[in-house]
Amino acid sequence: MVIMRTKFFAIIYAALTLLAVTACSDSNTSDLLLDGNCDIESLAADGYEGIIDKAARTVTVRVPETYDVSNMKLTALTLSGGAKSDLTEGDALNLLTPHTMHVTNGDVFIDWTISAQHDEAKITSFKINGSYVGVINEAEKTISVYVPNTLNLASLTPTIVCSANATVAPESGVPTDFTHPVAYTVTNNTASATYTVTVTAIGKPSAVYVGLAQSMDQLNIEEKTACSWMLANIPNSLYASFDDVRNGSVDLSECKVIWWHFHKDGGVDGKNAFETAAPEAVNAAVALRDYYNNGGSFLFTRYATNMPAEIGAVADNACPNNCWGQAESEAETVTGPWSFSIKGHTSHPLFQNLLMKDGEPNAVYTCDAGYRITNSTAQWHIGSNWGGYADYQTWRNNTGGIDLAYGGDGAIVAWEFPANGAKGRILCIGSGCYDWYSVDAVADEVYHANVARMTQNAFNYLMNK
């Protein structure tokens, strides 16, 4: 048995050796053609030469700012020797989205991505001395920057961010004399634009937008949109951080109104959650209370409506008892205009000169179909089953507030703490309908303008206490 087993393994070994020799023989070499290049040497669409990145396997066709790229013609194409592609000169390309081009050479293939890039000449960010953010009006090509009057306007340093591939003159980072408006020209291939920058020195602001961030550019997009509106529409206004207020870095001696619009993805529900989310505001409460007790007024919107309790303006020291909100990136799309009710309060200054819907004199609409909204709400639920306020009169007696507007379930979504003796006046808007920023732009907006109009009304009312 041992001899037979030895012979068996010897036969198997011989067979495997023969296979190996056969596999390595010259008569069985591979027929695959793997030495061809699949490069695009040149490409043009509608005569516009593509920029080729061989490492990334991309071709970018740069076109004028408003050029229609939905039906471009491949007007030139040169490939590596022996290569072929699934596109040929004369083919139509829809470059509204990137197009994949398949190139082969023998048994080698590579996919390239062809895309169109519009030339754009825009200033997307303008900041003075690293702190003071410019408000950009793209339609008018103007930029307004508000700085303290302690700065020397004759030598301020701008930091400028432009569209991709664009250049600007004068250059970013160069100390500049802003005692008069300065023109900045942006160029990008076929596109160009000139912006006029005006820097205004403010000593004692009449209005302040206050926030958790050290500078305006660090605000989230909802808050920044609101702040930008204020700087562009409320004369002699500034942004200041709560740390600035606490430290006395901003002179509030002539300030009539402080506005805080506080957004946080996911919402802020309850006093403890508020104090955890906004410690900078809580730390500035003493300075804000002094301002309030000396006649200063406030506009608190969204989750900032928790702040009146921190400065002693709420009789029972309570905060809105029914709050929620979504993340900006997950905002819901409304299928029709949203509104809240002002029944019984249509004559209040906050609600004047708004665009009203025919036949609905008690409804304030604030957004349009297609608007993306976080529905961030900080309201007072009324009813013995929730929150300790059995009815409106109980809420008024306990808080000292005046209800001004209501949600669909009767919750109080806008209210006022009236001026009391030397103290200032406070307006609060906690409705989810009060929203400044939509992730997606809405064409033909109608009712969203009411947000700005209502805010302008609030400033007018509070400044003329």
Side-chain angles (χ1 to χ4, degrees):
M1 293 293 291
V2 173
I3 295 172
M4 290 181 65
R5 185 176 298 158
T6 301
K7 288 183 177 180
F8 174 75
F9 282 118
I11 292 169
I12 294 297
Y13 177 78
L16 290 173
T17 302
L18 181 61
L19 265 173
V21 171
T22 303
C24 294
S25 69
D26 291 339
S27 61
N28 287 278
T29 55
S30 171
D31 292 329
L32 292 175
L33 301 176
L34 302 176
D35 59 349
N37 289 327
C38 297
D39 287 340
I40 297 176
E41 301 296 343
S42 66
L43 182 149
D46 285 2
Y48 293 102
E49 193 71 24
I51 301 171
I52 299 170
D53 185 335
K54 291 187 177 182
R57 302 302 185 195
T58 62
V59 181
T60 304
V61 180
R62 296 182 64 180
V63 297
E65 196 164 8
T66 59
Y67 196 81
D68 181 8
V69 298
S70 64
N71 187 28
M72 300 186 74
K73 181 183 291 186
L74 190 62
T75 51
L77 177 63
T78 304
L79 306 175
S80 302
K84 300 178 182 179
S85 79
D86 58 351
L87 291 178
T88 59
E89 290 185 18
D91 285 350
L93 292 174
N94 179 357
L95 293 183
L96 289 173
T97 57
H99 181 89
T100 300
M101 179 178 174
H102 190 70
V103 180
T104 61
N105 197 340
D107 293 302
V108 181
F109 70 88
I110 289 178
D111 286 336
W112 291 73
T113 300
I114 306 171
S115 60
Q117 183 183 77
H118 286 96
D119 296 332
E120 185 177 74
K122 290 183 178 179
I123 292 178
T124 58
S125 173
F126 193 99
K127 190 188 299 184
I128 291 290
N129 287 12
S131 299
Y132 306 99
V133 179
V135 178
I136 301 173
N137 184 326
E138 186 59 40
E140 301 293 331
K141 293 292 188 292
T142 61
I143 301 176
S144 301
V145 192
Y146 302 91
V147 302
N149 67 351
T150 53
L151 297 182
N152 178 14
L153 293 188
S155 182
L156 300 176
T157 302
T159 302
I160 309 168
V161 179
C162 300
S163 309
N165 303 312
T167 59
V168 62
E171 294 180 358
S172 176
V174 176
T176 304
D177 183 351
F178 284 100
T179 53
H180 300 287
V182 178
Y184 282 84
T185 299
V186 186
T187 56
N188 186 3
N189 200 27
T190 63
S192 66
T194 298
Y195 292 77
T196 300
V197 178
T198 302
V199 178
T200 302
I202 295 175
K204 298 180 179 181
S206 302
V208 167
Y209 184 107
V210 68
L212 304 178
Q214 291 303 306
S215 60
M216 175 186 163
D217 62 314
Q218 296 173 326
L219 296 173
N220 59 57
I221 189 63
E222 169 70 23
E223 296 174 346
K224 187 184 294 185
T225 304
C227 182
S228 295
W229 176 88
M230 187 198 79
L231 295 179
N233 291 275
I234 305 301
N236 205 41
S237 60
L238 278 177
Y239 174 82
S241 70
F242 279 106
D243 286 346
D244 290 333
V245 172
R246 179 173 59 86
N247 297 331
S249 300
V250 56
D251 189 340
L252 299 177
S253 61
E254 294 184 12
C255 181
K256 301 293 185 182
V257 181
I258 293 177
W259 180 23
W260 184 23
H261 181 64
F262 178 28
H263 172 79
K264 182 175 176 60
D265 280 353
V268 178
D269 189 6
K271 187 173 183 179
N272 289 338
F274 170 76
E275 292 178 345
T276 299
E280 299 89 344
V282 176
N283 291 338
V286 172
L288 293 172
R289 187 182 299 119
D290 289 343
Y291 167 81
Y292 172 59
N293 289 337
N294 289 319
S297 293
F298 291 96
L299 173 61
F300 290 126
T301 53
R302 195 160 288 185
Y303 304 121
T305 55
N306 288 274
M307 196 63 193
E310 301 289 339
I311 61 173
V314 188
D316 63 357
N317 199 37
C319 294
N321 58 14
N322 188 203
C323 310
W324 65 84
Q326 297 169 305
E328 200 73 67
S329 61
E330 300 170 355
E332 64 182 293
T333 302
V334 304
T335 57
W338 281 17
S339 68
F340 57 82
S341 172
I342 57 172
K343 187 174 181 179
H345 305 284
T346 55
S347 62
H348 192 280
L350 185 61
F351 307 125
Q352 302 310 300
N353 302 311
L354 303 181
L355 182 62
M356 308 298 285
K357 197 171 185 179
D358 289 344
E360 298 187 42
N362 296 316
V364 172
Y365 286 88
T366 60
C367 64
D368 308 271
Y371 189 90
R372 294 279 301 280
I373 196 168
T374 63
N375 193 17
S376 298
T377 301
Q379 63 183 18
W380 299 88
H381 180 88
I382 303 299
S384 57
N385 63 324
W386 191 337
Y389 303 105
D391 50 42
Y392 293 121
Q393 193 56 53
T394 300
W395 177 85
R396 295 167 192 146
N397 293 340
N398 289 1
T399 66
I402 299 173
D403 41 304
L404 300 177
Y406 314 92
D409 62 353
I412 299 172
V413 299
W415 60 98
E416 176 180 355
F417 295 106
N420 183 4
K423 295 180 179 179
R425 177 185 283 144
I426 300 175
L427 278 179
C428 295
I429 305 174
S431 171
C433 296
Y434 184 85
D435 191 279
W436 281 92
Y437 173 78
S438 176
V439 173
D440 296 323
V442 178
D444 303 321
E445 283 190 337
V446 177
Y447 293 111
H448 190 243
N450 279 339
V451 173
R453 292 180 184 181
M454 190 160 42
T455 308
Q456 182 70 66
N457 287 343
F459 273 98
N460 293 343
Y461 179 56
L462 296 171
M463 285 182 160
N464 294 288
K465 180 182 76 73

